[in-house]
Amino acid sequence: MQISARADYALRALLTLAASNGRLVKGEALAAAQDLPLRFLENILTDLRRAGLVQSRRGADGGYQLSLPPERITITTVIRATDGPLASVRGRRPEDTNYDGAAKHLQDVWIAVRVNLRRVLEAVTLADVASGQLPDIVTTLGCDPDAWVTR
């Protein structure tokens, strides 16, 4: 799985908002806190607002804040808001693929990959990451020595 810059930046901005305890944070401050390009971040924040994950207020006292408690925003929700489906094959959902011959069972592999992505990413919320109290599935997988081997 490749994590896009959009998803990475969105998560970093949302985690900064989660740490702000409900205070409004200006776009410039979000960009500076995570060393993100402001214009790109502003486009991402627009997508996040449309998805109902952030709300904004204009003006001198304005800024952004989470629309939901951080405990209710999963990593999956953010990735879907920025990039669409978690797993796709040539832009299509795995269940919409069809293979013949020797590749007949490749669809089963793509479905299994998506299931495992969901198991991890749907289990982790912004609150989990912000607090460092990650779900057992993340800590168990991260403790596997094979997880850190580059191939």
Side-chain angles (χ1 to χ4, degrees), residues 1-76:
M1 173 181 189
Q2 183 171 350
I3 308 298
S4 72
R6 289 183 67 76
D8 181 57
Y9 291 2
L11 285 161
R12 291 163 57 190
L14 291 173
L15 287 164
T16 301
L17 291 176
S20 75
N21 296 316
R23 291 187 320 272
L24 289 167
V25 181
K26 294 198 176 295
E28 296 85 0
L30 286 173
Q34 291 294 322
D35 194 27
L36 305 175
L38 178 59
R39 283 197 174 171
F40 191 32
L41 179 59
E42 287 173 338
N43 290 329
I44 294 167
L45 289 166
T46 298
D47 290 343
L48 296 174
R49 194 180 73 237
R50 286 185 188 134
L53 299 176
V54 299
Q55 52 193 357
S56 62
R57 187 180 318 157
R58 294 180 179 223
D61 295 331
Y64 295 91
Q65 64 187 153
L66 296 178
S67 296
L68 302 168
E71 297 82 13
R72 292 194 41 216
I73 301 174
T74 65
I75 303 295
T76 304

Side-chain angles (χ1 to χ4, degrees), residues 94-115:
E95 64 270 17
D96 295 335
T97 60
N98 189 18
Y99 301 98
D100 296 317
K104 180 179 178 181
H105 297 287
L106 191 53
Q107 179 189 45
D108 299 328
V109 174
W110 301 147
I111 296 289
V113 167
R114 182 179 62 190
V115 166

